[in-house]
Amino acid sequence: MIKIPLSKLNHQSRGEMVACSWGIHDDILILEAEQIPERIDGMFVPAQADKRSWFVTVYQGGELLFTLPAVESKTNFHYVQRVGDDQILLVGARCHYNEGKPDKNAALYNHYGQLINRFTLGDGIEQVNVTASNEVWVGYFDEGVFGNYGWGQPLGQYGLVKFDLEGHILWQADQFEILDCYAVNAESSRSFWFYYYSDFKLVHLQDMQPTTYPLPISGSHAFAICHPYIIMGGGYNHNDKFTVFKKNNQHLKKTDELVFTDEKGKSLTQYVYNIRGNQVIAYNQNNIYFTNLSVSDIK
């Protein structure tokens, strides 16, 4: 069993934690809300809520880089990404079709918190990665694939879509049978990985040419790329454990198990993981831990 300690980020909270993710500049992006909107009937995440303040904080190398002034919006945001050097993209997971006038659930802001543009990315969003070439990769869960909230022909019908910053579709995963895109990893503008249900296969798009790897893991929601290793989240009911595979052509061979710990060696349990390339974040409402994996960590 490999144990890898993560570094704790010294973050001063500005609200309730919503999401924490990696950006295109090896930066950590934190999205917080004045108050997280209540779920409908305790189950469903609303697309819109009463107007409230949303806060974005950006760190690089563990040091504070900048904070956005509070953004006021009725959109219930769930994802945050960096666009270029001076813009932030916020995205809501749910989106009503509204009889041909769908919600604009993606909002682009400058560093002064001023709204630049709004556009539609569809309903049922599970993953968002923006690349250095300003491509917006969006993975969808089942409601985004099959349609809900008035969507007869959902934007996410193929499970994974690449958009531009106006919301125009650049590519769709129509050659795969994705019912739920569980995890994505935008390693670079030329290298993109995704893992999906129901086949539970890992796919690598190198310059948009696919290579598919069968995996003996069901339900993984995060994975890291540390060539020649792939570190897959443990799957259903094993979110805190990871499996290490070594890549050889189109085959993956299991080599070890792995857990992430705090700086004192205590295993991190009940944390949410966001991973991009070889960069790992583990977070909950109280703590944020991070690291850049290296081959020497895994051998």
Side-chain angles (χ1 to χ4, degrees), residues 34-211:
E34 173 186 358
Q35 183 181 6
I36 296 176
E38 293 184 8
R39 291 176 177 264
I40 302 170
D41 298 328
M43 298 174 57
F44 303 102
V45 175
Q48 303 283 325
D50 295 335
K51 181 179 284 188
R52 65 198 63 211
S53 297
W54 300 85
F55 308 100
V56 175
T57 309
V58 181
Y59 293 87
Q60 196 168 59
E63 301 295 327
L64 178 65
L65 190 61
F66 66 87
T67 60
L68 240 64
V71 169
E72 304 294 324
S73 179
K74 290 185 177 180
T75 301
N76 185 13
F77 293 121
H78 299 90
Y79 307 103
V80 57
Q81 285 286 278
R82 190 102 175 260
V83 177
D85 293 327
D86 57 0
Q87 296 176 354
I88 293 291
L89 180 67
L90 301 182
V91 179
R94 305 313 306 257
C95 176
H96 292 263
Y97 186 64
N98 299 323
E99 298 181 350
K101 297 181 180 180
D103 299 331
K104 294 182 178 181
N105 59 327
L108 193 62
Y109 295 90
N110 63 21
H111 280 193
Y112 301 102
Q114 298 168 324
L115 181 65
I116 298 173
N117 189 26
R118 297 185 70 96
F119 53 96
T120 301
L121 292 179
D123 184 44
I125 293 175
E126 187 161 18
Q127 311 281 347
V128 179
N129 270 191
V130 175
T131 70
S133 53
N134 292 339
E135 297 163 335
V136 184
W137 287 91
V138 181
Y140 298 83
F141 57 84
D142 52 0
E143 290 187 47
V145 174
F146 296 106
N148 199 354
Y149 290 169
W151 288 88
Q153 188 173 358
L155 284 179
Q157 62 182 312
Y158 296 114
L160 177 67
V161 182
K162 181 170 68 171
F163 296 89
D164 66 14
L165 286 175
E166 297 291 331
H168 301 128
I169 293 175
L170 302 176
W171 179 88
Q172 303 178 94
D174 53 0
Q175 69 185 94
F176 304 94
E177 295 183 1
I178 301 174
L179 306 183
D180 193 320
C181 189
Y182 275 14
V184 302
N185 190 320
E187 185 182 16
S188 70
S189 293
R190 299 179 58 189
S191 177
F192 184 85
W193 302 72
F194 64 95
Y195 168 83
Y196 67 96
Y197 174 86
S198 62
D199 288 340
F200 295 124
K201 291 179 180 178
L202 180 68
V203 180
H204 181 207
L205 298 176
Q206 179 67 45
D207 294 324
M208 301 308 297
Q209 298 301 310
T211 302

Side-chain angles (χ1 to χ4, degrees), residues 232-249:
M232 295 292 303
Y236 297 127
N237 302 318
H238 298 285
N239 185 57
D240 303 314
K241 295 181 179 180
F242 289 75
T243 302
V244 180
F245 295 91
K246 189 172 185 179
K247 181 165 60 73
N248 182 16
N249 295 323

Side-chain angles (χ1 to χ4, degrees), residues 3-41:
K3 294 186 177 182
I4 296 182
L6 305 187
S7 300
K8 187 173 183 179
L9 185 69
N10 184 21
H11 171 63
Q12 298 298 317
S13 176
R14 302 170 68 195
E16 296 187 48
M17 174 67 74
V18 176
C20 190
S21 58
W22 288 104
I24 55 175
H25 302 299
D26 300 339
D27 40 13
I28 295 175
L29 315 172
I30 299 172
L31 174 63
E32 296 169 303
E34 173 186 358
Q35 183 181 6
I36 296 176
E38 293 184 8
R39 291 176 177 264
I40 302 170
D41 298 328

